[in-house]
Amino acid sequence: MVLPMTRFTTDFQHSGMPAKDLDETIKFYTETLGFELAGLFRNGENRCAFLRYGHLTIETWEGDPAPMTTGAISHWAFDTPDIEAAFKNAQELGLNFKDTEIQSIPTFWEKGIRYFNIYGPNGETIEFCQIVK
């Protein structure tokens, strides 16, 4: 039985936004807006920061061009405890995949992340992400 993807997620995890200057972005969100720097990680040659205020987490990174316009958010991410089950259900739903297989970044958080992305009806990227425990 094919189920809605919310059956494979527990919450909204984060929103992703490329940074023109990562240090400037971190400073603005922490010192000016009062966000907490929840994590700063390497991703190859680049760095990625997770900034948190209450329930909102923003992932921001260097290495991709920042659009410098309204609509600059890169993706929405949902927390999933079982990435394989979520991926299988997304396939059964016939969703429009950006990734043909589950991806991973071992340097994020303590033990890495596993994720996949789909496209929404407006071309927006929607990520399903499992923080490895």
Side-chain angles (χ1 to χ4, degrees):
M1 173 199 283
V2 178
L3 301 169
M5 290 304 291
T6 52
R7 294 290 297 270
F8 299 90
T9 62
T10 57
D11 211 338
F12 183 77
Q13 188 182 89
H14 68 265
S15 176
M17 173 184 70
K20 175 183 69 164
D21 178 315
L22 187 61
D23 294 317
E24 176 185 323
T25 301
I26 291 169
K27 182 177 180 180
F28 174 79
Y29 276 89
T30 58
E31 295 180 16
T32 303
L33 297 184
F35 278 58
E36 163 198 359
L37 178 61
L40 182 60
F41 307 103
R42 301 284 320 161
N43 187 11
E45 296 295 315
N46 297 310
R47 297 173 302 150
C48 177
F50 287 85
L51 304 160
R52 187 171 292 142
Y53 174 69
H55 187 68
L56 173 64
T57 301
I58 298 171
E59 173 191 13
T60 185
W61 63 92
E62 56 194 6
D64 289 331
M68 303 303 292
T69 183
T70 299
I73 300 300
S74 168
H75 63 275
W76 308 112
F78 290 90
D79 227 347
T80 180
D82 187 344
I83 196 70
E84 287 87 6
F87 189 76
K88 182 177 187 246
N89 192 75
Q91 289 174 316
E92 291 172 1
L93 282 171
L95 298 178
N96 184 10
F97 281 84
K98 182 174 183 179
D99 300 312
T100 58
E101 58 189 30
I102 296 170
Q103 307 294 307
S104 70
I105 302 176
T107 55
F108 280 20
W109 303 111
E110 191 174 316
K111 297 183 180 178
I113 62 168
R114 299 182 67 219
Y115 68 96
F116 66 91
N117 294 292
I118 64 165
Y119 293 111
N122 304 295
E124 67 275 21
T125 298
I126 301 168
E127 176 182 323
F128 294 88
C129 184
Q130 180 179 16
I131 296 174
V132 179
K133 302 285 183 195

